[in-house]
Amino acid sequence: MRLLITETNFTASYPWLFELEDELGSKYYIMHSRFYDTRGLKSPVTRLMLDSYDKGQWITANTQLVDGVNVVVS
């Protein structure tokens, strides 16, 4: 699925690193690594993502509903 990065967060203010939207306006999130660790999921975040992803970029991702949140899993 193609998702647009709408917000970034590299602080502890929110439990996510990237907030994304699909073409219909549904929200998706790339969470901090501890979110994935505590749920036995592999974090999709790479050093390249942290260094190069920014607001306004489209990415292709796989998502999953985890604890009521649409989360990017790969």
Side-chain angles (χ1 to χ4, degrees), residues 4-72:
L4 175 68
I5 299 172
T6 57
E7 293 293 330
T8 59
N9 169 57
F10 298 108
T11 69
S13 301
Y14 299 103
W16 48 266
L17 295 169
F18 299 99
E19 181 182 66
L20 308 100
E21 284 186 12
D22 63 13
E23 286 126 3
L24 300 175
S26 297
K27 299 279 188 190
Y28 297 84
Y29 299 92
I30 298 176
M31 309 301 276
H32 288 290
S33 61
R34 67 184 165 275
F35 175 92
Y36 296 99
D37 291 343
T38 60
R39 289 157 182 85
L41 300 169
K42 182 177 182 284
S43 175
V45 178
T46 65
R47 173 59 67 189
L48 177 63
M49 288 173 68
L50 291 175
D51 290 343
S52 64
Y53 282 12
D54 205 356
K55 288 175 23 175
Q57 270 187 286
W58 286 91
I59 65 166
T60 301
N62 293 316
T63 64
Q64 182 177 328
L65 187 63
V66 178
D67 296 340
V69 179
N70 290 318
V71 176
V72 172

